[in-house]
Amino acid sequence: MADELCDIFSDCVISPNPTASIENIHRHIHELELLVQLSKSSTYREQSHQRDVNFTKELIVTYFAKLITTANTDDDLVSAILHALRYLRNVCVQAPHSQQYLFIGLSCNDEVVRAYTCSTLYNTLTGHERYLCDPIRGQPILIAVLEMQICEWREFVIERLLQQNLLPDLLECLENRYDLILLEHVELLLKRDIANPCPNGSDGFRQPLLPETTCLYISNKFQSTCNLILQYASNQQVTEEMHLAMKLLDILGYATSLSTLFPNLQNQQMLARTAVELLRSMYEIDQHCGGGIFSKVQDTPSELTPPTGSVDNVKKNLIRLIGNMSYRNRIIQDEVRVMGGIPLLLNHCRLDVCNPFVTQWCILAIRNLCDQNVNNQEVIAKLNIEGVIKNSALDELGLDVTLQSGRIKVTKKESDGM
């Protein structure tokens, strides 16, 4: 029965006359459905695997190339295409040499056809994910997947590649715009880990959705590219490379919050040092320019507006990174203190339009830095009050703030009429 149906299916597809192929498909829709059902059986796949793989190649090359791109695609033809894709998805399980023939299906204008083709691709990946890193054979397929509209099989394919620690290879062979798509998925995987730290309420260890080696690669990549962000001060323009560096920083902020899953990442002294140095450079630039580049300080919350700048949240993300890495980590706590990071963080405890909630992140970072660290606590204890900064909001409220005998005193101003 299977051999007979396969021969019928071959007759439908392999024909020198596209019109004749369409007519055959119209007649044999039912047979196509039966063949799809048979291909679900593992016994069927084991007995005829190589034959079906070879048949698949002919199917895609002749069928997709000649028929999917026809201008007038009727319902029967679309139905036949979907049956063919279901069949391919079943017989191509763990058959990486069939991946290169899926590009035509991924390039089809029909969204459903692309989704089914993507599911077929997923079935071929197990143990052969690195094929898609090949710049000649695999890269066109990978780009077609990345350019697809969002569907669950597209997400499954990308997640599989990331979970196999292929991010370094993928970033090397793709353009920056595709790199950002991949990094968005890295962020999504980390957010899922944050939302579900222990499955089924268990306190035991579990494997993260993303390999720690991938996070360490992201750390090294950020350290080598982070100075690009400072170039924004000179031309007020964000390049793709700057955007990529900022996305890496954002990802590190999420990854370092998962200290139990990524302990080696939290212990990276060079990453902490880079974060402190970059934060200091941005602070000095803002001080020199009077603000407005990486920060925009306001006196009252009522004056705050949602951030709209290209480099918004960079300072906040750096402070978040420092705070996360300092959590119960004496090595990083001491490193930040030695670099003068504690006063630097305190200087950012201001309302900042460009960095919403930066004060809260500063407080959390200071808390983590001082946790069970007497030396860091002494740095704060030795700080002296030098005066009171003039605040326009307090003036509007008619309040006067003065420093008397080392204590801050708030009094109501006397009106001019009194």
Side-chain angles (χ1 to χ4, degrees), residues 44-99:
Y44 170 80
R45 292 198 300 268
E46 291 172 0
Q47 293 176 350
S48 56
H49 184 72
Q50 188 57 49
R51 182 201 64 182
D52 288 346
V53 168
N54 293 334
F55 165 68
T56 297
K57 297 177 183 179
E58 298 294 333
L59 178 76
I60 296 175
V61 171
T62 61
Y63 185 45
F64 284 153
K66 293 179 181 293
L67 303 182
I68 282 185
T69 56
T70 55
N72 299 318
T73 304
D74 59 26
D75 292 340
D76 283 343
L77 183 56
V78 171
S79 178
I81 291 171
L82 297 182
H83 286 317
L85 288 167
R86 293 187 186 101
Y87 176 73
L88 289 174
R89 182 176 60 192
N90 294 337
V91 300
C92 286
V93 173
Q94 300 183 10
H97 44 291
S98 298
Q99 292 177 4

Short mmCIF file of all heavy atoms in Angstrom, two decimals, residues 44-99:
data_model
loop_
_atom_site.label_atom_id
_atom_site.label_comp_id
_atom_site.label_asym_id
_atom_site.label_seq_id
_atom_site.Cartn_x
_atom_site.Cartn_y
_atom_site.Cartn_z
N TYR A 44 7.35 2.62 9.36
CA TYR A 44 7.36 3.02 7.95
C TYR A 44 8.62 3.82 7.63
O TYR A 44 9.27 3.61 6.62
CB TYR A 44 6.11 3.86 7.66
CG TYR A 44 6.12 4.54 6.30
CD1 TYR A 44 5.80 3.85 5.15
CD2 TYR A 44 6.47 5.89 6.20
CE1 TYR A 44 5.81 4.48 3.91
CE2 TYR A 44 6.49 6.52 4.96
CZ TYR A 44 6.15 5.81 3.83
OH TYR A 44 6.17 6.42 2.61
N ARG A 45 8.99 4.75 8.53
CA ARG A 45 10.17 5.57 8.28
C ARG A 45 11.45 4.74 8.30
O ARG A 45 12.38 4.96 7.54
CB ARG A 45 10.25 6.70 9.31
CG ARG A 45 9.14 7.74 9.17
CD ARG A 45 9.50 9.02 9.90
NE ARG A 45 9.70 8.79 11.33
CZ ARG A 45 8.75 8.92 12.25
NH1 ARG A 45 7.52 9.24 11.86
NH2 ARG A 45 9.00 8.72 13.53
N GLU A 46 11.50 3.75 9.19
CA GLU A 46 12.70 2.92 9.28
C GLU A 46 12.87 2.04 8.04
O GLU A 46 13.98 1.82 7.57
CB GLU A 46 12.62 2.04 10.54
CG GLU A 46 12.74 2.83 11.84
CD GLU A 46 12.47 1.96 13.04
OE1 GLU A 46 12.19 0.75 12.84
OE2 GLU A 46 12.53 2.48 14.18
N GLN A 47 11.76 1.56 7.49
CA GLN A 47 11.83 0.64 6.36
C GLN A 47 12.10 1.35 5.05
O GLN A 47 12.69 0.77 4.13
CB GLN A 47 10.53 -0.17 6.27
CG GLN A 47 10.33 -1.13 7.42
CD GLN A 47 8.99 -1.85 7.33
OE1 GLN A 47 8.14 -1.51 6.51
NE2 GLN A 47 8.81 -2.86 8.19
N SER A 48 11.69 2.58 4.94
CA SER A 48 11.79 3.26 3.64
C SER A 48 12.45 4.63 3.78
O SER A 48 12.20 5.53 2.98
CB SER A 48 10.40 3.42 3.02
OG SER A 48 9.54 4.11 3.90
N HIS A 49 13.27 4.77 4.79
CA HIS A 49 13.79 6.10 5.10
C HIS A 49 14.58 6.71 3.95
O HIS A 49 14.28 7.81 3.48
CB HIS A 49 14.67 6.03 6.35
CG HIS A 49 15.17 7.36 6.81
ND1 HIS A 49 14.36 8.28 7.40
CD2 HIS A 49 16.38 7.94 6.73
CE1 HIS A 49 15.05 9.38 7.68
NE2 HIS A 49 16.29 9.18 7.29
N GLN A 50 15.59 5.99 3.47
CA GLN A 50 16.44 6.57 2.43
C GLN A 50 15.66 6.80 1.14
O GLN A 50 15.86 7.79 0.46
CB GLN A 50 17.65 5.66 2.16
CG GLN A 50 18.68 6.28 1.23
CD GLN A 50 19.20 7.61 1.77
OE1 GLN A 50 19.57 7.71 2.92
NE2 GLN A 50 19.19 8.64 0.94
N ARG A 51 14.77 5.86 0.83
CA ARG A 51 13.95 6.05 -0.37
C ARG A 51 13.12 7.32 -0.26
O ARG A 51 13.01 8.11 -1.20
CB ARG A 51 13.03 4.84 -0.55
CG ARG A 51 12.17 4.93 -1.82
CD ARG A 51 10.95 4.03 -1.71
NE ARG A 51 10.08 4.47 -0.62
CZ ARG A 51 8.97 3.83 -0.29
NH1 ARG A 51 8.64 2.71 -0.87
NH2 ARG A 51 8.21 4.28 0.70
N ASP A 52 12.52 7.53 0.91
CA ASP A 52 11.67 8.71 1.10
C ASP A 52 12.47 10.00 1.10
O ASP A 52 12.00 11.03 0.64
CB ASP A 52 10.88 8.59 2.41
CG ASP A 52 9.79 7.54 2.31
OD1 ASP A 52 9.49 7.12 1.17
OD2 ASP A 52 9.26 7.14 3.35
N VAL A 53 13.70 9.95 1.65
CA VAL A 53 14.54 11.14 1.64
C VAL A 53 14.90 11.52 0.21
O VAL A 53 14.83 12.69 -0.18
CB VAL A 53 15.82 10.90 2.48
CG1 VAL A 53 16.83 12.02 2.22
CG2 VAL A 53 15.48 10.84 3.95
N ASN A 54 15.27 10.54 -0.60
CA ASN A 54 15.57 10.82 -2.01
C ASN A 54 14.34 11.35 -2.73
O ASN A 54 14.41 12.26 -3.54
CB ASN A 54 16.08 9.55 -2.69
CG ASN A 54 17.43 9.12 -2.16
OD1 ASN A 54 18.20 9.94 -1.68
ND2 ASN A 54 17.72 7.83 -2.23
N PHE A 55 13.19 10.74 -2.38
CA PHE A 55 11.94 11.20 -2.99
C PHE A 55 11.64 12.63 -2.57
O PHE A 55 11.15 13.45 -3.36
CB PHE A 55 10.82 10.26 -2.57
CG PHE A 55 9.44 10.79 -2.82
CD1 PHE A 55 8.97 10.96 -4.12
CD2 PHE A 55 8.62 11.12 -1.77
CE1 PHE A 55 7.70 11.46 -4.34
CE2 PHE A 55 7.36 11.62 -1.99
CZ PHE A 55 6.89 11.78 -3.28
N THR A 56 11.96 12.94 -1.30
CA THR A 56 11.72 14.29 -0.79
C THR A 56 12.48 15.33 -1.60
O THR A 56 11.97 16.42 -1.89
CB THR A 56 12.16 14.36 0.68
OG1 THR A 56 11.35 13.47 1.44
CG2 THR A 56 11.98 15.77 1.22
N LYS A 57 13.70 15.00 -1.96
CA LYS A 57 14.51 15.94 -2.74
C LYS A 57 13.81 16.27 -4.07
O LYS A 57 13.69 17.43 -4.45
CB LYS A 57 15.89 15.35 -3.01
CG LYS A 57 16.71 15.10 -1.76
CD LYS A 57 18.03 14.45 -2.10
CE LYS A 57 18.84 14.14 -0.84
NZ LYS A 57 20.12 13.48 -1.16
N GLU A 58 13.36 15.22 -4.75
CA GLU A 58 12.66 15.43 -6.02
C GLU A 58 11.37 16.22 -5.80
O GLU A 58 11.00 17.09 -6.57
CB GLU A 58 12.35 14.08 -6.67
CG GLU A 58 13.57 13.25 -7.03
CD GLU A 58 14.40 13.92 -8.10
OE1 GLU A 58 13.84 14.69 -8.91
OE2 GLU A 58 15.62 13.71 -8.12
N LEU A 59 10.70 15.88 -4.70
CA LEU A 59 9.44 16.55 -4.37
C LEU A 59 9.62 18.05 -4.26
O LEU A 59 8.91 18.84 -4.89
CB LEU A 59 8.90 15.99 -3.05
CG LEU A 59 7.60 16.60 -2.52
CD1 LEU A 59 6.43 16.06 -3.30
CD2 LEU A 59 7.45 16.28 -1.04
N ILE A 60 10.63 18.46 -3.49
CA ILE A 60 10.82 19.89 -3.24
C ILE A 60 11.32 20.59 -4.49
O ILE A 60 10.83 21.65 -4.87
CB ILE A 60 11.80 20.09 -2.07
CG1 ILE A 60 11.18 19.52 -0.79
CG2 ILE A 60 12.14 21.55 -1.88
CD1 ILE A 60 12.10 19.56 0.39
N VAL A 61 12.31 20.00 -5.14
CA VAL A 61 12.92 20.66 -6.29
C VAL A 61 11.92 20.89 -7.41
O VAL A 61 11.83 21.97 -7.98
CB VAL A 61 14.12 19.84 -6.80
CG1 VAL A 61 14.62 20.40 -8.13
CG2 VAL A 61 15.24 19.86 -5.79
N THR A 62 11.12 19.87 -7.72
CA THR A 62 10.20 20.00 -8.86
C THR A 62 8.86 20.60 -8.45
O THR A 62 8.31 21.44 -9.15
CB THR A 62 9.96 18.62 -9.50
OG1 THR A 62 9.37 17.75 -8.54
CG2 THR A 62 11.26 18.04 -10.00
N TYR A 63 8.36 20.17 -7.29
CA TYR A 63 7.01 20.55 -6.87
C TYR A 63 6.96 22.00 -6.41
O TYR A 63 6.20 22.81 -6.95
CB TYR A 63 6.61 19.60 -5.75
CG TYR A 63 5.21 19.74 -5.22
CD1 TYR A 63 4.12 19.86 -6.08
CD2 TYR A 63 4.98 19.71 -3.85
CE1 TYR A 63 2.85 19.96 -5.58
CE2 TYR A 63 3.70 19.79 -3.34
CZ TYR A 63 2.65 19.93 -4.21
OH TYR A 63 1.39 20.02 -3.71
N PHE A 64 7.82 22.34 -5.44
CA PHE A 64 7.82 23.70 -4.94
C PHE A 64 8.26 24.69 -6.01
O PHE A 64 7.65 25.74 -6.19
CB PHE A 64 8.75 23.82 -3.73
CG PHE A 64 8.16 23.26 -2.47
CD1 PHE A 64 8.98 22.78 -1.45
CD2 PHE A 64 6.79 23.21 -2.28
CE1 PHE A 64 8.45 22.26 -0.29
CE2 PHE A 64 6.25 22.70 -1.12
CZ PHE A 64 7.08 22.21 -0.13
N ALA A 65 9.31 24.38 -6.71
CA ALA A 65 9.87 25.32 -7.67
C ALA A 65 8.89 25.66 -8.77
O ALA A 65 8.81 26.80 -9.23
CB ALA A 65 11.15 24.75 -8.28
N LYS A 66 8.09 24.70 -9.22
CA LYS A 66 7.19 24.92 -10.35
C LYS A 66 5.78 25.34 -9.94
O LYS A 66 5.11 26.07 -10.65
CB LYS A 66 7.10 23.64 -11.21
CG LYS A 66 8.41 23.28 -11.92
CD LYS A 66 8.23 22.01 -12.72
CE LYS A 66 9.52 21.60 -13.41
NZ LYS A 66 9.94 22.54 -14.45
N LEU A 67 5.32 24.84 -8.77
CA LEU A 67 3.91 25.00 -8.45
C LEU A 67 3.61 26.05 -7.38
O LEU A 67 2.61 26.75 -7.47
CB LEU A 67 3.33 23.65 -8.00
CG LEU A 67 3.48 22.51 -9.02
CD1 LEU A 67 2.81 21.25 -8.48
CD2 LEU A 67 2.85 22.91 -10.35
N ILE A 68 4.46 26.18 -6.38
CA ILE A 68 4.15 27.12 -5.29
C ILE A 68 4.16 28.55 -5.79
O ILE A 68 3.41 29.39 -5.31
CB ILE A 68 5.16 26.94 -4.14
CG1 ILE A 68 4.76 25.70 -3.34
CG2 ILE A 68 5.21 28.14 -3.22
CD1 ILE A 68 5.59 25.48 -2.10
N THR A 69 4.98 28.84 -6.77
CA THR A 69 5.12 30.22 -7.26
C THR A 69 4.10 30.57 -8.34
O THR A 69 4.17 31.65 -8.89
CB THR A 69 6.53 30.43 -7.82
OG1 THR A 69 6.80 29.45 -8.82
CG2 THR A 69 7.57 30.29 -6.71
N THR A 70 3.17 29.66 -8.65
CA THR A 70 2.16 29.98 -9.67
C THR A 70 1.28 31.11 -9.19
O THR A 70 0.99 31.23 -8.00
CB THR A 70 1.29 28.75 -9.99
OG1 THR A 70 0.72 28.26 -8.78
CG2 THR A 70 2.12 27.66 -10.64
N ALA A 71 0.83 31.92 -10.12
CA ALA A 71 0.07 33.12 -9.77
C ALA A 71 -1.30 32.78 -9.17
O ALA A 71 -1.71 33.35 -8.17
CB ALA A 71 -0.10 34.00 -11.00
N ASN A 72 -2.00 31.83 -9.79
CA ASN A 72 -3.34 31.48 -9.34
C ASN A 72 -3.30 30.13 -8.62
O ASN A 72 -3.36 29.07 -9.25
CB ASN A 72 -4.31 31.42 -10.53
CG ASN A 72 -4.42 32.76 -11.24
OD1 ASN A 72 -4.50 33.79 -10.59
ND2 ASN A 72 -4.42 32.74 -12.56
N THR A 73 -3.19 30.17 -7.32
CA THR A 73 -3.10 28.95 -6.52
C THR A 73 -4.47 28.66 -5.92
O THR A 73 -4.96 29.40 -5.08
CB THR A 73 -2.08 29.13 -5.38
OG1 THR A 73 -0.84 29.51 -5.96
CG2 THR A 73 -1.91 27.83 -4.61
N ASP A 74 -5.12 27.55 -6.38
CA ASP A 74 -6.45 27.24 -5.87
C ASP A 74 -6.36 26.46 -4.58
O ASP A 74 -5.28 26.07 -4.12
CB ASP A 74 -7.27 26.48 -6.93
CG ASP A 74 -6.61 25.17 -7.34
OD1 ASP A 74 -5.85 24.61 -6.53
OD2 ASP A 74 -6.86 24.72 -8.47
N ASP A 75 -7.51 26.20 -3.97
CA ASP A 75 -7.55 25.56 -2.66
C ASP A 75 -6.98 24.16 -2.69
O ASP A 75 -6.30 23.74 -1.75
CB ASP A 75 -8.99 25.53 -2.14
CG ASP A 75 -9.52 26.92 -1.82
OD1 ASP A 75 -8.68 27.84 -1.63
OD2 ASP A 75 -10.74 27.10 -1.76
N ASP A 76 -7.26 23.41 -3.76
CA ASP A 76 -6.75 22.04 -3.84
C ASP A 76 -5.23 22.03 -3.89
O ASP A 76 -4.57 21.17 -3.29
CB ASP A 76 -7.31 21.32 -5.08
CG ASP A 76 -8.74 20.86 -4.86
OD1 ASP A 76 -9.16 20.80 -3.70
OD2 ASP A 76 -9.42 20.56 -5.86
N LEU A 77 -4.66 22.97 -4.62
CA LEU A 77 -3.21 23.01 -4.74
C LEU A 77 -2.58 23.37 -3.39
O LEU A 77 -1.58 22.77 -2.98
CB LEU A 77 -2.79 24.02 -5.80
CG LEU A 77 -1.28 24.12 -6.07
CD1 LEU A 77 -0.72 22.77 -6.44
CD2 LEU A 77 -0.99 25.13 -7.16
N VAL A 78 -3.16 24.36 -2.69
CA VAL A 78 -2.65 24.71 -1.37
C VAL A 78 -2.77 23.52 -0.42
O VAL A 78 -1.85 23.22 0.36
CB VAL A 78 -3.41 25.92 -0.80
CG1 VAL A 78 -3.03 26.15 0.66
CG2 VAL A 78 -3.12 27.16 -1.63
N SER A 79 -3.90 22.80 -0.50
CA SER A 79 -4.09 21.62 0.34
C SER A 79 -3.02 20.57 0.04
O SER A 79 -2.47 19.95 0.95
CB SER A 79 -5.48 21.04 0.10
OG SER A 79 -5.67 19.87 0.87
N ALA A 80 -2.73 20.38 -1.25
CA ALA A 80 -1.70 19.40 -1.64
C ALA A 80 -0.33 19.83 -1.12
O ALA A 80 0.47 19.00 -0.67
CB ALA A 80 -1.68 19.26 -3.15
N ILE A 81 -0.06 21.11 -1.20
CA ILE A 81 1.22 21.62 -0.70
C ILE A 81 1.35 21.33 0.80
O ILE A 81 2.39 20.86 1.26
CB ILE A 81 1.33 23.14 -0.95
CG1 ILE A 81 1.47 23.41 -2.45
CG2 ILE A 81 2.53 23.72 -0.20
CD1 ILE A 81 1.39 24.88 -2.80
N LEU A 82 0.29 21.57 1.55
CA LEU A 82 0.35 21.33 2.98
C LEU A 82 0.49 19.85 3.29
O LEU A 82 1.21 19.46 4.22
CB LEU A 82 -0.90 21.91 3.65
CG LEU A 82 -1.07 23.43 3.54
CD1 LEU A 82 -2.32 23.88 4.29
CD2 LEU A 82 0.15 24.14 4.09
N HIS A 83 -0.19 18.99 2.51
CA HIS A 83 -0.01 17.54 2.70
C HIS A 83 1.43 17.14 2.44
O HIS A 83 2.01 16.32 3.16
CB HIS A 83 -0.94 16.76 1.77
CG HIS A 83 -2.38 16.79 2.18
ND1 HIS A 83 -2.78 16.63 3.49
CD2 HIS A 83 -3.53 16.93 1.46
CE1 HIS A 83 -4.10 16.69 3.56
NE2 HIS A 83 -4.57 16.87 2.33
N ALA A 84 2.01 17.73 1.38
CA ALA A 84 3.40 17.41 1.05
C ALA A 84 4.33 17.83 2.18
O ALA A 84 5.27 17.11 2.55
CB ALA A 84 3.80 18.10 -0.25
N LEU A 85 4.05 18.99 2.76
CA LEU A 85 4.89 19.47 3.86
C LEU A 85 4.73 18.61 5.10
O LEU A 85 5.70 18.35 5.81
CB LEU A 85 4.55 20.93 4.17
CG LEU A 85 5.02 21.93 3.12
CD1 LEU A 85 4.38 23.28 3.36
CD2 LEU A 85 6.53 22.06 3.15
N ARG A 86 3.51 18.15 5.37
CA ARG A 86 3.31 17.24 6.50
C ARG A 86 4.10 15.95 6.27
O ARG A 86 4.71 15.40 7.20
CB ARG A 86 1.82 16.94 6.67
CG ARG A 86 0.98 18.12 7.11
CD ARG A 86 -0.45 17.69 7.42
NE ARG A 86 -1.28 18.85 7.70
CZ ARG A 86 -2.12 19.39 6.84
NH1 ARG A 86 -2.24 18.89 5.62
NH2 ARG A 86 -2.84 20.44 7.17
N TYR A 87 4.05 15.48 5.04
CA TYR A 87 4.78 14.26 4.70
C TYR A 87 6.29 14.47 4.89
O TYR A 87 6.98 13.66 5.48
CB TYR A 87 4.46 13.89 3.25
CG TYR A 87 5.23 12.70 2.73
CD1 TYR A 87 4.93 11.42 3.17
CD2 TYR A 87 6.26 12.86 1.82
CE1 TYR A 87 5.63 10.32 2.71
CE2 TYR A 87 6.97 11.78 1.35
CZ TYR A 87 6.65 10.51 1.79
OH TYR A 87 7.35 9.43 1.34
N LEU A 88 6.77 15.61 4.40
CA LEU A 88 8.19 15.92 4.54
C LEU A 88 8.58 16.02 6.01
O LEU A 88 9.63 15.53 6.42
CB LEU A 88 8.51 17.25 3.84
CG LEU A 88 8.46 17.25 2.32
CD1 LEU A 88 8.65 18.67 1.82
CD2 LEU A 88 9.52 16.35 1.75
N ARG A 89 7.73 16.65 6.79
CA ARG A 89 8.03 16.83 8.21
C ARG A 89 8.20 15.49 8.90
O ARG A 89 9.03 15.33 9.79
CB ARG A 89 6.90 17.62 8.87
CG ARG A 89 7.12 17.91 10.35
CD ARG A 89 6.01 18.76 10.91
NE ARG A 89 4.72 18.10 10.77
CZ ARG A 89 3.55 18.70 10.96
NH1 ARG A 89 3.52 19.97 11.29
NH2 ARG A 89 2.42 18.04 10.83
N ASN A 90 7.44 14.50 8.47
CA ASN A 90 7.52 13.18 9.10
C ASN A 90 8.73 12.38 8.62
O ASN A 90 9.44 11.78 9.41
CB ASN A 90 6.24 12.39 8.81
CG ASN A 90 5.02 13.01 9.49
OD1 ASN A 90 5.15 13.73 10.47
ND2 ASN A 90 3.84 12.74 8.96
N VAL A 91 8.96 12.35 7.31
CA VAL A 91 10.02 11.48 6.78
C VAL A 91 11.40 12.11 6.92
O VAL A 91 12.41 11.41 6.77
CB VAL A 91 9.78 11.12 5.30
CG1 VAL A 91 8.46 10.40 5.13
CG2 VAL A 91 9.84 12.35 4.41
N CYS A 92 11.47 13.41 7.18
CA CYS A 92 12.77 14.07 7.28
C CYS A 92 13.31 14.13 8.70
O CYS A 92 14.27 14.84 8.97
CB CYS A 92 12.70 15.49 6.72
SG CYS A 92 12.60 15.55 4.94
N VAL A 93 12.70 13.40 9.62
CA VAL A 93 13.18 13.41 10.99
C VAL A 93 14.65 12.99 11.03
O VAL A 93 15.02 11.94 10.52
CB VAL A 93 12.34 12.46 11.88
CG1 VAL A 93 12.95 12.35 13.27
CG2 VAL A 93 10.91 12.95 11.96
N GLN A 94 15.49 13.86 11.61
CA GLN A 94 16.92 13.61 11.74
C GLN A 94 17.58 13.30 10.40
O GLN A 94 18.44 12.45 10.30
CB GLN A 94 17.17 12.45 12.72
CG GLN A 94 16.64 12.73 14.11
CD GLN A 94 16.96 11.64 15.10
OE1 GLN A 94 17.73 10.74 14.81
NE2 GLN A 94 16.37 11.73 16.27
N ALA A 95 17.17 14.00 9.37
CA ALA A 95 17.78 13.84 8.05
C ALA A 95 18.36 15.17 7.60
O ALA A 95 17.74 15.90 6.84
CB ALA A 95 16.74 13.34 7.04
N PRO A 96 19.55 15.54 8.08
CA PRO A 96 20.08 16.88 7.83
C PRO A 96 20.36 17.16 6.36
O PRO A 96 20.33 18.30 5.94
CB PRO A 96 21.39 16.88 8.64
CG PRO A 96 21.77 15.44 8.74
CD PRO A 96 20.48 14.70 8.84
N HIS A 97 20.63 16.11 5.57
CA HIS A 97 20.95 16.35 4.17
C HIS A 97 19.73 16.81 3.38
O HIS A 97 19.85 17.14 2.20
CB HIS A 97 21.55 15.09 3.53
CG HIS A 97 20.83 13.83 3.89
ND1 HIS A 97 20.87 13.32 5.17
CD2 HIS A 97 20.07 12.99 3.17
CE1 HIS A 97 20.15 12.20 5.21
NE2 HIS A 97 19.65 11.99 4.01
N SER A 98 18.55 16.82 4.01
CA SER A 98 17.35 17.32 3.33
C SER A 98 17.13 18.80 3.60
O SER A 98 16.25 19.41 2.98
CB SER A 98 16.12 16.53 3.79
OG SER A 98 16.24 15.17 3.46
N GLN A 99 17.89 19.40 4.53
CA GLN A 99 17.65 20.80 4.91
C GLN A 99 17.81 21.75 3.73
O GLN A 99 17.05 22.70 3.59
CB GLN A 99 18.60 21.20 6.04
CG GLN A 99 18.32 20.48 7.34
CD GLN A 99 19.33 20.85 8.41
OE1 GLN A 99 20.19 21.69 8.19
NE2 GLN A 99 19.23 20.22 9.57
#
